[in-house]
C-alpha cells in the first residue's frame, strides 16, 4: 500500500496553495523535512511562501491549532518567532486529504557551537519563550515523559523486530537498565512541566541580521524547561559549564530557572537517544526514510546504539552540571 505522502505531488502542492486564494508562479522547492513535508512555493508578484503539509494521523487538528496559538502568544509579546499566516481567518487548511499551513519565508543560520555571546542572547530568547510557556498548560499536546519517550520507544523497537538478533540481548539489557536509572533520577528531581519548544536544537534557533528567531514548533509539548536548554550545549564538561553560565545569565533576566532541573539533562539525553531510534522505526513505511537512512537496521548502527546507551548509563552516574 502506498504511503500517503506518495500522492503529495508538486502539482498537488501548487493546487493546495492556490485553493485558498494565492496565485503561484509554479516554482516549487522541497525543503529538508522528514516528519512533515515542507516546500517553498513561489507566488506571483510577491515573496515566496513556505507550505507545511502535516503528516497524516500524527496530530489532531486541536493539537495543531494549539501549536499555532502558542506561536501567536509569543509573537504578541514581540518574541521573534516564525508564526503561521492567517488567511481567511484560518491558519490550518485542507486540500485533497492533506492538512497544511503557510508561513512567511524567513532564512537564517544556526548558532555557532560554543559562542558565548550568542549563548547569552539565546538564553534571553529561551527565557522569554518559557515565561510565556509557563502561563498555562497545553490541553491537546502530550507531555515529554519517561513512558512515552522511553518505555514506548523500547516497545516499538522490540515488537517491530528492528534490532538484529545478534545485538538484541545487549540492547534490551542496557536499555532497561538505562530506563530504570532515568526513572529514579526523574522521581528524585523536582521539576515543573511548562509549554516548551520540545526540539530546541541549534538548527531551530536561527540568526538573521544579528537577531535570533525561533522556528518549527511542531514538537512543542509540556516538559521541563531544561529540555530546551541542554541541546544548546556542546563540548566537554568544562566547556558546557561555561556555556551554561552564559545561557543562564541571559535566561534568568526573563524567567527564573530552577537549577535542580540540571539533574535531568542526562536522563533527557537518554530519552532522546531511544526516541530517535523508535522514530525511525515508526516512520519506516514512509519511502523517504529507507532512502535517507539506509544504515538503520544494520549491525553497525545497533552496535553503536548499544555503546551509546552504555555511555549514557555511565553519564547518569556522574555528578550533574551545576551553576556557580
Amino acid at each position: 500500500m502506498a504511503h500517503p505522502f506518495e500522492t503529495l505531488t508538486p502539482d498537488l502542492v501548487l493546487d493546495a496553495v492556490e485553493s485558498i486564494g494565492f496565485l503561484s508562479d509554479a516554482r516549487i522547492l522541497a525543503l529538508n523535512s522528514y516528519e512533515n513535508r515542507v516546500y517553498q512555493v513561489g507566488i506571483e508578484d510577491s515573496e515566496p511562501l513556505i507550505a507545511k503539509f502535516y503528516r497524516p494521523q500524527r496530530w489532531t487538528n486541536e493539537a495543531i491549532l494549539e501549536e499555532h496559538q502558542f506561536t501567536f502568544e509569543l509573537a504578541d509579546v514581540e518574541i521573534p518567532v516564525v508564526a503561521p499566516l492567517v488567511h481567511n481567518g484560518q491558519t490550518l487548511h485542507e486540500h485533497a486529504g492533506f492538512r497544511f499551513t503557510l508561513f512567511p519565508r524567513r532564512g537564517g543560520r544556526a548558532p555557532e557551537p560554543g559562542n558565548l555571546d550568542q549563548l547569552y542572547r539565546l538564553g534571553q530568547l529561551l527565557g522569554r519563550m518559557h515565561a510565556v510557556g509557563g502561563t498555562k498548560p497545553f490541553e491537546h499536546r502530550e507531555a515529554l515523559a519517561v513512558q512515552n519517550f522511553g518505555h514506548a520507544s523500547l516497545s516499538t523497537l522490540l515488537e517491530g523486530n528492528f534490532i538484529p538478533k545478534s545485538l538484541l540481548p545487549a540492547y534490551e539489557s542496557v536499555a532497561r537498565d538505562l530506563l530504570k536509572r532515568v526513572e529514579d533520577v526523574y522521581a528524585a528531581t523536582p521539576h515543573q512541566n511548562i509549554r516548551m519548544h520540545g526540539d530546541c536544537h541549534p538548527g531551530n534557533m536561527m540568526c538573521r541580521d544579528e537577531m535570533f528567531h525561533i522556528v518549527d514548533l511542531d514538537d512543542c509539548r509540556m516538559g521541563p524547561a531544561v529540555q530546551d536548554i541542554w541541546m544548546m550545549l556542546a563540548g566537554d564538561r568544562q566547556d558546557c559549564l561555561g556555556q551554561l553560565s552564559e545561557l543562564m545569565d541571559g535566561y534568568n533576566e526573563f524567567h527564573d530557572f530552577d537549577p535542580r532541573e540540571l539533574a535531568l539533562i542526562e536522563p533527557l539525553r537518554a530519552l532522546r537517544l531511544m526516541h530517535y531510534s523508535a522514530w525511525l522505526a515508526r516512520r519506516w513505511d514512509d519511502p523517504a526514510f529507507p532512502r535517507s537512512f539506509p544504515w538503520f537496521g544494520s549491525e553497525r548502527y545497533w552496535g553503536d546504539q548499544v555503546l551509546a546507551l552504555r555511555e549514557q548509563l555511565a553519564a547518569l552516574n556522574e555528578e550533574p552540571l551545576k551553576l556557580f
Side-chain angles (χ1 to χ4, degrees):
M1 184 178 297
H3 190 272
F5 277 143
E6 290 285 272
T7 66
L8 187 60
T9 62
D11 284 344
L12 194 152
V13 171
L14 296 176
D15 288 345
V17 172
E18 294 190 342
S19 73
I20 59 173
F22 290 96
L23 180 60
S24 167
D25 63 9
R27 291 180 298 170
I28 183 171
L29 175 66
L31 302 180
N32 187 29
S33 176
Y34 295 106
E35 185 62 14
N36 304 295
R37 295 294 187 269
V38 183
Y39 303 89
Q40 177 178 294
V41 178
I43 302 298
E44 286 283 357
D45 300 320
S46 186
E47 287 290 315
L49 296 177
I50 304 301
K52 173 181 175 181
F53 289 79
Y54 291 92
R55 178 171 291 273
Q57 301 179 337
R58 183 185 179 219
W59 293 117
T60 64
N61 286 354
E62 292 81 5
I64 293 173
L65 292 173
E66 200 166 43
E67 170 208 334
H68 295 178
Q69 178 57 37
F70 182 37
T71 308
F72 289 133
E73 288 178 48
L74 299 175
D76 284 345
V77 292
E78 300 183 347
I79 294 174
V81 60
V82 181
L85 294 176
V86 180
H87 190 71
N88 296 329
Q90 296 182 320
T91 57
L92 183 61
H93 313 282
E94 186 169 344
H95 180 77
F98 288 100
R99 296 170 299 171
F100 69 99
T101 294
L102 299 179
F103 296 85
R105 184 177 65 171
R106 189 80 55 82
R109 63 184 187 277
E112 301 169 15
N115 183 307
L116 298 184
D117 176 63
Q118 290 187 346
L119 285 167
Y120 175 79
R121 290 186 286 146
L122 287 168
Q124 291 179 313
L125 184 53
L126 289 172
R128 294 176 67 194
M129 178 173 64
H130 288 175
V132 175
T135 58
K136 64 181 182 182
F138 283 132
E139 295 182 3
H140 301 285
R141 302 181 75 86
E142 66 179 9
L144 191 165
V146 181
Q147 177 57 42
N148 58 357
F149 268 59
H151 291 290
S153 295
L154 180 58
S155 295
T156 293
L157 297 172
L158 297 180
E159 294 168 6
N161 298 317
F162 291 97
I163 306 170
K165 290 183 178 179
S166 61
L167 292 167
L168 180 58
Y171 185 90
E172 183 175 4
S173 176
V174 69
R176 294 197 185 282
D177 289 345
L178 184 60
L179 287 175
K180 177 62 171 66
R181 185 75 181 100
V182 167
E183 285 180 328
D184 291 344
V185 177
Y186 249 80
T189 304
H191 61 280
Q192 178 183 0
N193 281 352
I194 63 170
R195 293 179 298 171
M196 47 95 181
H197 189 290
D199 190 28
C200 200
H201 58 76
N204 281 334
M205 306 289 280
M206 304 296 287
C207 185
R208 182 179 183 180
D209 299 328
E210 302 305 315
M211 177 179 289
F212 284 102
H213 57 271
I214 303 166
V215 301
D216 193 9
L217 283 159
D218 190 67
D219 282 304
C220 65
R221 63 188 71 234
M222 300 295 293
V226 72
Q227 168 65 10
D228 282 349
I229 292 170
W230 71 265
M231 279 186 278
M232 294 289 110
L233 307 177
D236 60 24
R237 182 183 178 88
Q238 199 59 40
D239 290 334
C240 288
L241 286 171
Q243 295 164 24
L244 181 64
S245 177
E246 288 298 318
L247 267 173
M248 289 297 98
D249 281 350
Y251 186 98
N252 285 318
E253 289 182 9
F254 297 95
H255 191 60
D256 291 332
F257 178 74
D258 184 347
R260 295 176 297 182
E261 286 192 12
L262 294 175
L264 294 179
I265 289 179
E266 297 307 331
L268 290 167
R269 196 192 310 272
L271 293 177
R272 187 171 177 85
L273 282 170
M274 296 184 65
H275 185 261
Y276 178 75
S277 292
W279 173 67
L280 292 175
R282 291 168 183 147
R283 301 294 181 253
W284 206 242
D285 65 333
D286 181 341
F289 279 70
R291 288 196 300 264
S292 300
F293 308 99
W295 36 259
F296 182 70
S298 69
E299 290 208 358
R300 179 172 182 176
Y301 173 77
W302 289 104
D304 289 344
Q305 289 303 299
V306 170
L307 178 59
L309 295 191
R310 285 174 177 164
E311 291 175 344
Q312 198 56 35
L313 185 58
L316 278 162
N317 293 320
E318 296 178 359
E319 184 179 5
L321 294 178
K322 292 184 178 180
L323 293 172
F324 296 100

